[in-house]
Amino acid sequence: MTALVVLERVTFTYAGAVRPALADVSLEIAAGDVMAVTGESGAGTSTLLLVATGFAPRVVGGTLAGTRRIAARRCGVVFARPWTQLTGLCSTVRDEVAFGPASLGLPRAAVLAAARNAMETLHIEQLAGREPSHLSGGELQRVVVAAALAMRPDVLALDDPAAELDPEAADALYDVLPVVAAAGTGVLLATPDSERAGRVATRAVALASGRIVAEGSPAEVLTDTEVARIARAAGCPPPYPWDVPSLLRRVER
Amino acid sequence: MIGYVDGTSPLHRAHPYTTLALSGALLFGAFALTRPLEVGLLVLTAVLFAATGRVLRSSAQTALLLSLPIWILLFVLHGLLGAEPRMAFGPVALSVPGIARALVLGGRVTAIVLGFLTALATVSPHRLVEAMTADGVPFGRTFLLASTLTVLPRMRERATQILEAQQCRGLRLGGSIVARLRALGPLALPLVLGALAEVDEQVLALDARGAAGSARRTALDPPPDSRAQHALRWALLALVAAAYAWKFWRMRG
Amino acid sequence: MIRPTSLRDLVLIRLGVAVNLVIGQIVAALLLPVYLDSVGTILVAALVGPRAAITVGLVSQVLNAVISGNFSWLPFALVQVVIALYAAAAARLGLFRRFATAVPAGIGMGLLAASCSAPISYFLFGGVTAGGVTVVTTVLRALGAPLGVAVASASFATDLLDKAIACALVSVVLRSLPGTLAARFPALAR
């Protein structure tokens, strides 16, 4: 497998920040990967996504030290809040999804084909004619992911993409990720939702204070927490819940 | 009624630039005309324009509503308080040059507002964006025109939420002017800081979808243009230029 | 003139315009006798610079006209340009860092804005525009003041108060910015 992104001992500091958001991080992302990135709030998961996709420091500023090689031609990014990611220029879902390929100046037919494919992947063809501002959060987030996919990115980074969604919408969104990866995209997924991440991820890293504290298969990494150890000791079947809320959810069930 | 109204009138079907050129000619033409009779003709032209767009009733209603206070003030300011000679008009003595001035100023305002409302009602923002895109207008300009309008409802909604939330927390909106000024901070600050915190996400989302690229964006539904419309737009420009030439020639003469 | 350099500038301009247009909603709820319709312009002048701020001012005026259907705002775009330039200069001098300098800076801005808006409303509309200013004009005129003087005094009174409050508010916003967010605006550090 060819590596799309290689980070070697990368340290990243935001402008105005005292300590680095990422410290001494080494990581490889290849086509077909679905890599779950976990960690508590402030652990640096969002920053890792931005650094791996080249958006930091190019777009958000800051300083990068260490070696970073990005072989990916294009990187896509999806955040938690769908409405901040709309262009505001498009009056239909189709136009919103087609915005990326249209920016590339592709012929009209190619633009529409790319948009159609992306909408099919996300199962939102029926929304094509709707106005984005009239959609629910879950529908809108699928539009946002489709819009990112329409660019045919080599790496797609999703930062807690289901944070604003209800459970069904979250499940539907996560189920798309293996499909995207199978088509040759490297997927990076930052999320505190280890249950869903564990279902779709092929690899996982855990961050704490900007450093990688665990790396490996989801079952290995998502278990390397106190809660997961307790769950394992109690005879819980894998994947193990790695924080208290997910343990409680498991127990309730 | 202010804003776009779906329809099939000649103005709706015309290239957006043509409709805008017509209302622009009304606006700039208005300031070239200085006599009551000329301004009367201008108002008539504006009425014809609105009738062509089949929005005469709603546009004229709004135009009158918007210009009514201006008419009243003009009447008081110039008609009652204007210069000599005066003409008895029932119980009051009206200034003759004042009334002429009020008619010119009021007619101008009414014609411009009517033309403006007609353009707003008949030019679909989507078609305008498409026309500008097809024309190769830089992304920044279409973005500022269209995208700004679409973020307003969300911003308004947030302002309302903040108002309600702060009132729930005991903020009083009434009281002395100093108290009300003090309340401005807790209301305006979250609105502005919240919006600033979202800037990076919005920039990243646009950047990832190629908005900063140098390729000429593909227009998906460019509105059809014609030689006749092109010629009409140039003719309007020439007409306005001629009107100003006439005005200045008359002022010298 | 409307040629911002980066996407970031564009997004910040959009934010400035939105603030200009929406803050009025809050002012209305508080029944304050001002518009504060240039807070976004001043904010962007301090955060980004004069060129972006001028764009905020111009786009705000156009949108104001589009939303209200009232074109008479449009010629006052010139005033917004002056406000943008003045605010950028004031920010450069660090006047927004403290309340004590921001308020006088706002009064200066009000004087300048009124000196620009009074001639516009006098020459183009014979002293008549929509809004409270006109009522003041009419009252002064009825009391015997010449039209020019009436228009000017009305503009000055509202503009001074309006801009002083707007500048004070921007000063509060800038001082409340979290450190990492503030670091993203090199114009602030100057």
Side-chain angles (χ1 to χ4, degrees), chain A:
Chain A
M1 258 322 169
T2 45
L4 292 167
V5 178
V6 179
L7 304 180
E8 279 167 20
R9 312 203 63 171
V10 164
T11 296
F12 179 83
T13 314
Y14 284 106
V18 187
R19 61 177 199 86
L22 279 187
D24 211 16
V25 167
S26 298
L27 197 68
E28 263 190 49
I29 297 145
D33 277 345
V34 177
M35 183 179 288
V37 182
T38 62
E40 287 172 9
S41 165
T45 54
S46 304
T47 310
L48 177 60
L49 263 52
L50 295 180
V51 168
T53 45
F55 291 114
R58 183 173 67 81
V59 177
V60 299
T63 48
L64 182 103
T67 313
R68 174 176 71 177
R69 285 192 299 276
I70 300 181
R73 284 166 305 126
R74 265 201 290 280
C75 296
V77 61
V78 172
F79 299 102
R81 288 171 289 194
W83 42 84
T84 62
Q85 303 166 73
L86 296 177
T87 57
L89 279 170
C90 304
S91 49
T92 62
V93 165
R94 182 204 71 169
D95 287 9
E96 187 71 43
V97 175
F99 180 89
S103 308
L104 301 176
L106 302 176
R108 185 173 179 274
V111 171
L112 294 179
R116 201 168 41 241
N117 282 341
M119 287 191 289
E120 277 167 14
T121 308
L122 271 296
H123 310 294
I124 52 166
E125 307 96 306
Q126 75 286 357
L127 300 179
R130 297 271 299 277
E131 204 173 305
S133 58
H134 294 170
L135 298 181
S136 73
E139 290 170 326
L140 205 52
Q141 189 69 325
R142 269 158 51 204
V143 171
V144 167
V145 176
L149 279 186
M151 288 292 276
R152 306 223 166 99
D154 300 307
V155 174
L156 179 64
L158 304 104
D159 191 353
D160 205 358
E164 307 263 336
L165 308 188
D166 58 58
E168 289 82 36
D171 283 334
L173 189 64
Y174 275 83
D175 287 343
V176 172
L177 301 181
V179 179
V180 172
T185 301
V187 176
L188 260 173
L189 170 68
T191 177
D193 184 351
S194 63
E195 301 243 0
R196 288 193 178 85
R199 258 198 339 252
V200 298
T202 56
R203 294 168 61 204
V205 291
L207 292 177
S209 306
R211 290 174 189 276
I212 292 187
V213 289
E215 185 180 359
S217 78
E220 289 161 5
V221 174
L222 302 179
T223 59
D224 198 23
T225 61
E226 284 304 320
V227 174
R229 267 179 230 129
I230 294 167
R232 193 161 33 190
C236 219
Y240 302 104
W242 69 291
D243 61 358
V244 177
S246 52
L247 174 69
L248 288 178
R249 275 201 300 274
R250 183 72 69 88
V251 171
E252 273 164 19
R253 246 187 268 151

